[in-house]
Amino acid sequence: MKLWLYRIGTALAFAFLVLTFVNASWLADSPRGYIKLIAHRGAYQLFDHTGVERDTCTARRIEPPVHDFLENTLPGMSQAVRSGAQMIELDIALTRDGKLAVFHDWTLDCRTNGSGNVRDATMAELKALDAGYGYSADGGKTFPFRGKGVGLIPDLAEVLAAFPDKPILFNFKSKDHEEAEVLARWLKAAGRDPVKLGDGFYGATESGPVSRIRRLYPKAWVFSKESVKACTSAYAWQGWLALTPEACRNGTVAIPLNRQWVFAGWPNRMIERMNAVGARIILVGPQDGPRGMGLDLPEQVREIPAGFTGYVWVEDIWSVGPALRPGF
């Protein structure tokens, strides 16, 4: 009995040494390329995420403003680029007259002086609204952006014209596959090749517009929250066995800043494995508290591995961008 226990222990120890060796990051080649910052909603007003639910009006809980930029607006996107973003994330909504508005919420009531479903309005009606009407940092006592946001809800065509060479990450908020078809038409009308330029597309689930955009652009970067979870969860345990999950093939994996140690071979070996199957890596913020998904503190930049060449999801591009690249 003792002999068998000794043999089993020896085999396990040997296996541990082998797996430690094959997962060693320092034995992999240094990745080539450069880090790419994704500015979530452009430059925007941060807010307290404590207790936020689907219908919570986040405009009524912003932090005291340090700048004047609003989410999903052309000025906010331009500032994100000036702050060092390589990619702009934005939300799209199909309007009643067949255009695509760049707006986050399902309804107009929270952020604007309008009401009702965004998708029930025409683009002209959205343009007439004050996009900064509902923002408050003191529970509704004062509204620092009221009257300053008239005309700031952009038509997607305006965004494509303003950033013809800047990669964009399009977020489908609905499950309507028609939004993917309309988006593809607008991209074609703008002469934009999303594969060549490096655009991305994502949504909550694989159904609806996400599945449709995959068929329209089979070589583009397309993912859903479902597919990211599948790849990330599978690699978290299979990676230690030196395996790359099938769920990660041409997929996307998300690495929380405070959970980097969970992933085998991080960073260089894992990057090598993901590159081999056409997968992209997004480094996100700590996922253990009431904060946004991305980085929102300049000191978090110190936790990004040297030489990382994937994407970094950023909530506060205003401060994180210059912290990573002081030239901005």
Side-chain angles (χ1 to χ4, degrees), residues 288-308:
D288 59 356
R291 308 190 72 88
M293 191 177 86
L295 278 65
D296 58 4
L297 296 171
E299 54 265 34
Q300 292 172 331
V301 166
R302 296 195 296 266
E303 300 176 49
I304 300 175
F308 176 63

Side-chain angles (χ1 to χ4, degrees), residues 2-328:
K2 291 184 178 180
L3 178 60
W4 276 106
L5 290 175
Y6 173 78
R7 290 175 176 175
I8 292 172
T10 301
L12 290 174
F14 180 74
F16 175 78
L17 290 174
V18 170
L19 292 176
T20 299
F21 181 80
V22 299
N23 286 312
S25 175
W26 61 273
L27 290 176
D29 293 333
S30 298
R32 304 176 68 177
Y34 60 94
I35 194 170
K36 295 166 279 290
L37 302 184
I38 302 174
H40 184 208
R41 309 186 194 183
Y44 76 101
Q45 301 299 318
L46 301 184
F47 57 88
D48 181 6
H49 285 74
T50 304
V52 169
E53 298 180 355
R54 185 178 184 274
D55 297 323
T56 301
C57 180
T58 57
R60 288 294 185 97
R61 50 167 62 200
I62 62 171
E63 299 177 358
V66 296
H67 59 70
D68 295 332
F69 300 103
L70 300 177
E71 65 177 58
N72 282 318
T73 64
L74 287 173
M77 296 175 202
S78 296
Q79 180 57 47
V81 173
R82 290 193 296 270
S83 296
Q86 281 69 49
M87 191 173 210
I88 302 166
E89 189 269 0
L90 54 79
D91 308 288
I92 58 174
L94 183 62
T95 64
R96 195 175 77 232
D97 53 345
K99 297 185 178 181
L100 287 171
V102 180
F103 195 78
H104 176 271
D105 294 357
W106 281 93
T107 63
L108 297 165
D109 305 68
C110 172
R111 303 183 190 282
T112 80
N113 55 333
S115 62
N117 196 316
V118 177
R119 289 161 177 78
D120 291 335
T122 66
M123 195 65 234
E125 290 170 340
L126 295 177
K127 281 287 186 184
L129 298 176
D130 180 2
Y133 187 86
Y135 288 82
S136 178
D138 52 16
K141 296 177 182 178
T142 60
F143 296 86
F145 302 109
R146 185 165 287 186
K148 300 178 181 179
V150 178
L152 286 188
I153 298 177
D155 183 329
L156 180 63
E158 296 178 87
V159 177
L160 299 180
F163 304 101
D165 302 317
K166 178 64 63 175
I168 295 174
L169 181 57
F170 301 93
N171 181 15
F172 295 111
K173 302 293 291 186
S174 81
K175 296 180 181 179
D176 183 0
H177 63 78
E178 185 182 358
E179 290 198 4
E181 296 168 351
V182 174
L183 174 57
R185 289 200 295 270
W186 280 105
L187 295 177
K188 183 178 180 180
R192 190 180 183 97
D193 183 343
V195 177
K196 182 178 180 180
L197 194 54
D199 291 334
F201 309 86
Y202 80 106
T205 67
E206 282 294 305
S207 60
V210 170
S211 62
R212 184 60 58 92
I213 208 74
R214 282 191 192 277
R215 291 198 293 271
L216 293 170
Y217 298 111
K219 294 183 179 180
W221 181 22
V222 182
F223 64 95
S224 67
K225 293 180 181 179
E226 286 179 345
S227 66
V228 171
K229 183 177 180 180
C231 171
T232 304
S233 299
Y235 186 82
W237 68 272
Q238 292 185 35
W240 294 104
L241 302 176
L243 301 174
T244 304
E246 185 61 28
C248 293
R249 185 169 299 279
N250 298 318
T252 303
V253 58
I255 309 295
L257 205 61
N258 60 334
R259 295 287 186 272
Q260 298 178 64
W261 57 271
V262 171
F263 300 91
W266 179 257
N268 292 4
R269 180 69 72 188
M270 182 178 176
I271 292 173
E272 181 181 81
R273 290 169 179 168
M274 292 298 128
N275 287 341
V277 297
R280 292 171 173 84
I281 299 175
I282 302 178
L283 191 64
V284 300
Q287 301 299 296
D288 59 356
R291 308 190 72 88
M293 191 177 86
L295 278 65
D296 58 4
L297 296 171
E299 54 265 34
Q300 292 172 331
V301 166
R302 296 195 296 266
E303 300 176 49
I304 300 175
F308 176 63
T309 59
Y311 295 86
V312 177
W313 193 278
V314 179
E315 299 295 337
D316 187 9
I317 192 67
W318 174 268
S319 61
V320 173
L324 182 65
R325 296 189 173 91
F328 287 90

